[in-house]
Amino acid sequence: MNDNDTKSRFFRERRLLLGVSVVLLAHQLLGITVGNSAETLGLRFEIGDPSKIWWAVWAIWLWTAVCVAQQLNSIRPWTVYPKDRTEETRNRLSDWIAVRRVRKAALKHLRATVTRKLNPKFEVVFAERKKVDAPDGQLHEFTCVRVTARWQCDAASISAEKAGAFEAAMKQAGWKISGGSDGFEEGACRFSKTVDVRIVPIQNERLIRWTASTWTLFSTSFVTDYFAPLVIAVAPLVVAGYRAVTQYWSLLSGVVR
């Protein structure tokens, strides 16, 4: 049996399991019962004990649940999990986090070194993502963040001094400066620096992994296709178990009294 046949059978049995589970839940929660007689195709049937029909329904539920579990194990849903979506989401989150962290550190430094009376203008934006050959022979991936500053001044040396201080601050924070420029024009100093943030440490943070996985599960059909039906199918069993425990404790309380 190929994968398509296995999936087709799984989805057919899943629909049957959902239908039987809904019938059982309707019986348990809404009190829907079966009458003593029924008529179909012009024939009338008398049912001696309608409550026994529910045993048959439970038998169908059990058989279908076992078949669904077997088909699910044959499909091996972890092999069809959309890992590319999770990776894409982790990349986007990592870029966003990298820009925010650089912005926080850069603005803190710039506002402390360039006063408001100099009419400063700062900009921190995502530039690109790049891969660089590392000494160990691997490729290291970076998010590049461009930081631009402009303020009023009266000498080109001030621009170079501020740019150097900014580079030192970013390196102290653990990031690299991959390029940029500085200059002086018409009474204004400016510099633009590109800050490289390594992606791997951010991608491996627990919150990033959890958020990316959760987004993938709820933004794709993976959960609804393979696991949500099982949650619905287990509901009648949970209700039955709860009622059995409640009745047991009621009887036990009566005996103790």
Side-chain angles (χ1 to χ4, degrees):
M1 184 179 295
N2 58 38
D3 292 340
N4 290 332
D5 291 338
T6 302
K7 288 183 179 180
S8 297
R9 183 178 177 185
F10 167 76
F11 288 127
R12 288 197 303 269
E13 292 174 347
R14 185 195 67 175
R15 287 194 294 269
L16 177 58
L17 180 61
L18 286 173
V20 176
S21 300
V22 169
V23 171
L24 286 172
L25 286 172
H27 171 62
Q28 293 172 324
L29 303 179
L30 302 179
I32 294 178
T33 58
V34 178
N36 291 327
S37 63
E39 185 173 344
T40 179
L41 300 177
L43 300 175
R44 185 176 182 82
F45 300 89
E46 294 294 333
I47 303 174
D49 188 359
S51 63
K52 293 182 179 180
I53 291 180
W54 295 108
W55 289 104
V57 176
W58 272 109
I60 296 173
W61 176 90
L62 179 60
W63 171 260
T64 311
V66 171
C67 291
V68 167
Q70 291 174 341
Q71 296 302 320
L72 190 63
N73 185 54
S74 298
I75 292 173
R76 295 180 299 172
W78 55 89
T79 63
V80 297
Y81 175 80
K83 295 180 181 178
D84 56 334
R85 280 294 182 86
T86 301
E87 188 66 23
E88 179 182 350
T89 304
R90 288 176 67 187
N91 287 338
R92 291 181 178 179
L93 287 173
S94 299
D95 289 339
W96 183 74
I97 292 294
V99 173
R100 285 184 61 86
R101 290 178 179 176
V102 171
R103 177 182 290 114
K104 180 179 180 180
L107 293 182
K108 180 180 179 180
H109 171 80
L110 291 172
R111 287 169 179 166
T113 56
V114 182
T115 60
R116 289 186 178 181
K117 66 180 182 179
L118 299 178
N119 193 25
K121 294 181 180 179
F122 308 130
E123 183 181 38
V124 182
V125 297
F126 171 81
E128 63 177 347
R129 178 180 279 241
K130 68 178 183 181
K131 296 181 179 180
V132 178
D133 291 327
D136 56 4
Q138 298 181 348
L139 285 176
H140 288 180
E141 197 165 5
F142 294 88
T143 294
C144 303
V145 184
R146 183 177 297 110
V147 180
T148 305
R150 184 181 179 89
W151 67 96
Q152 295 177 354
C153 68
D154 53 11
S157 59
I158 297 177
S159 177
E161 178 186 347
K162 298 294 185 183
F166 176 79
E167 287 190 19
M170 295 299 99
K171 290 178 180 178
Q172 186 175 3
W175 303 317
K176 296 181 179 180
I177 302 296
S178 60
S181 62
D182 60 82
F184 173 78
E185 184 179 1
E186 297 180 355
C189 288
R190 62 167 181 80
F191 71 78
S192 178
K193 297 294 180 179
T194 301
V195 182
D196 292 350
V197 182
R198 181 95 185 275
I199 290 301
V200 171
I202 300 177
Q203 285 184 335
N204 290 335
E205 291 178 7
R206 182 178 300 176
L207 181 60
I208 297 296
R209 296 200 310 268
W210 182 86
T211 303
S213 299
T214 302
W215 174 255
T216 300
L217 291 176
F218 288 97
S219 64
T220 65
S221 61
F222 181 77
V223 170
T224 54
D225 281 347
Y226 297 105
F227 293 104
L230 298 182
V231 175
I232 298 174
V234 171
L237 191 62
V238 173
V239 173
Y242 172 78
R243 289 185 173 180
V245 171
T246 302
Q247 291 177 358
Y248 172 77
W249 280 110
S250 297
L251 291 175
L252 186 62
S253 300
V255 171
V256 173
R257 292 178 182 177

